[in-house]
Amino acid sequence: MKYFLYFGLFVCLSLVSSCQKKTGSFRPGMLFPDTDGVHINAHGGGILSHNGKYYWFGEHKIAGKLGNSAQVGVSCYSSDDLYNWKNEGIALAVSEDSTHDIARGCVLERPKVIYNAKNNNYVMWFHLERKGNSYSSALTGVAVADKPEGPYRFIRSFRPDAGAWPVNVSDFHKRTDNRTKEAFSGGDLPEPIDSGMMNLIGRDFEKGQMSRDMNLFVDDDGRAYLVHASEENSTLHISELTDDYTDTRGHYVRLFPGRFMEAPALFKRDGKYYLIMSGCTGWAPNEARSAVADSLFGEWRELGNPCVGEDADLTFHSQSTYVLPVDGKEDCFIFMADRWVPENPIDGRYVWLPLTFEGEKPVLRWTDEWSY
Ligand code: GAL
């Protein structure tokens, strides 16, 4: 009997240790177990690299279609090596008060966190659609915490850059008569007319610009920026943040007017700024886009689809969410994307691939398993 007990104990210990076995590689599209052996639940995510540790924030999803709305909140995982992730729990919880901005059942997507040195705190931004509003609120939300893993305190939701014109505003936008497509067809408006032919910048001038898919970027000088899909998703905006990183300051630029880009991931390499984005086809994958600029508010040049090989036209069945420069490794970038499963969102997979460059062009090739 005693031997059976010892044998049982041995089996249990081996099972526990096999669950916690460390890994040293990425397997794009496969289950991505955390250190408890459970598939990581942090979709549409981004990484904060801070004090030698990585923190992965993402949308916590539940099983079934209800999981496409926020039922729990934002998850946080931590790691020393990017391969092995410890579940740190819920960093920002949804509210049980149904009138709250982040009430359970709202849409809370693509959370990103940056560290603010001035206030020595952590600032989270996300795309928010109020409960019951489908995707019509087009808001951004902000929350702060004293520790990277949270808990985060929700501050407010708003539309960025209210009452400010973009640096590249055209005369067309400054017309205050709320021109619509119909008025445009009258033919008396100056060129160029872009962004789906409606003056959305002018329309939303007072209340702030629409903000859906988004990302954050902190430049070498400590200035932080929100890059987001605005103007009914037709045009990306880059908006500079205030010093405490909790607001926009009305200094912003419109990029790729009328090109309908989503899921922007912004990063810097060799002094140049890069964006990798998707087109707008909801949960279904499409062909990625890329672009480069010498300055954030300067001329952006599109460089086409960075993906090469089979299923390149579908971004290998995924959609961008973040590009991570790996600490201490020269010219080492990880492209992070989501393979969405809208029928059962908790089963969404992560596609992390090495991002390489051919000249100035970013290139992504599929690989079943890899290490950086
Ligand atoms: C995608 C977007 C996702 C989510 C989805 C909803 O285009 O990137 O974050 O909003 O649409 O259909």
Side-chain angles (χ1 to χ4, degrees), residues 125 138-142 156-161 209 211 246-248:
W125 287 63
L139 295 162
T140 192
V142 179
R156 67 185 183 120
S157 68
F158 62 104
R159 284 195 172 179
D161 299 314
Q209 300 300 322
S211 188
T246 65
D247 203 351
T248 52

Side-chain angles (χ1 to χ4, degrees), residues 44 59 61 68 107 109-110 127 129 135 212-214 233 262-264 278-284 286 319-320 338 340 342:
E59 302 158 28
K61 304 271 198 189
N68 291 313
V107 168
E109 293 181 336
R110 300 186 176 274
H127 166 204
E129 301 290 345
Y135 276 83
R212 293 204 181 101
D213 279 11
M214 49 69 69
N233 290 352
E262 282 191 323
S278 72
C280 290
T281 52
W283 301 119
N286 56 54
Q319 185 185 29
S320 45
D338 292 282
W340 305 111

Side-chain angles (χ1 to χ4, degrees), residues 286-358:
N286 56 54
E287 192 171 27
R289 327 248 180 108
S290 65
V292 66
D294 291 328
S295 76
L296 284 172
F297 280 56
E299 276 304 306
W300 282 84
R301 258 180 310 121
E302 284 197 51
L303 297 173
N305 182 3
C307 303
V308 175
E310 201 179 330
D311 294 332
D313 56 337
L314 293 175
T315 316
F316 313 114
H317 301 273
S318 70
Q319 185 185 29
S320 45
T321 186
Y322 202 74
V323 170
L324 176 72
V326 179
D327 289 339
K329 299 253 168 204
E330 204 173 326
D331 216 20
C332 180
F333 296 88
I334 300 179
F335 168 78
M336 296 166 49
D338 292 282
R339 192 171 277 180
W340 305 111
V341 182
E343 317 74 54
N344 191 28
I346 195 173
D347 193 33
R349 303 299 173 90
Y350 311 101
V351 171
W352 289 19
L353 291 171
L355 178 65
T356 57
F357 287 82
E358 284 169 14

Side-chain angles (χ1 to χ4, degrees), residues 84-106:
N84 300 282
W85 292 92
K86 176 175 176 278
N87 188 351
E88 299 283 358
I90 297 303
L92 174 69
V94 294
S95 170
E96 292 308 322
D97 169 359
S98 63
T99 63
H100 196 281
D101 276 13
I102 57 165
R104 187 157 52 82
C106 69

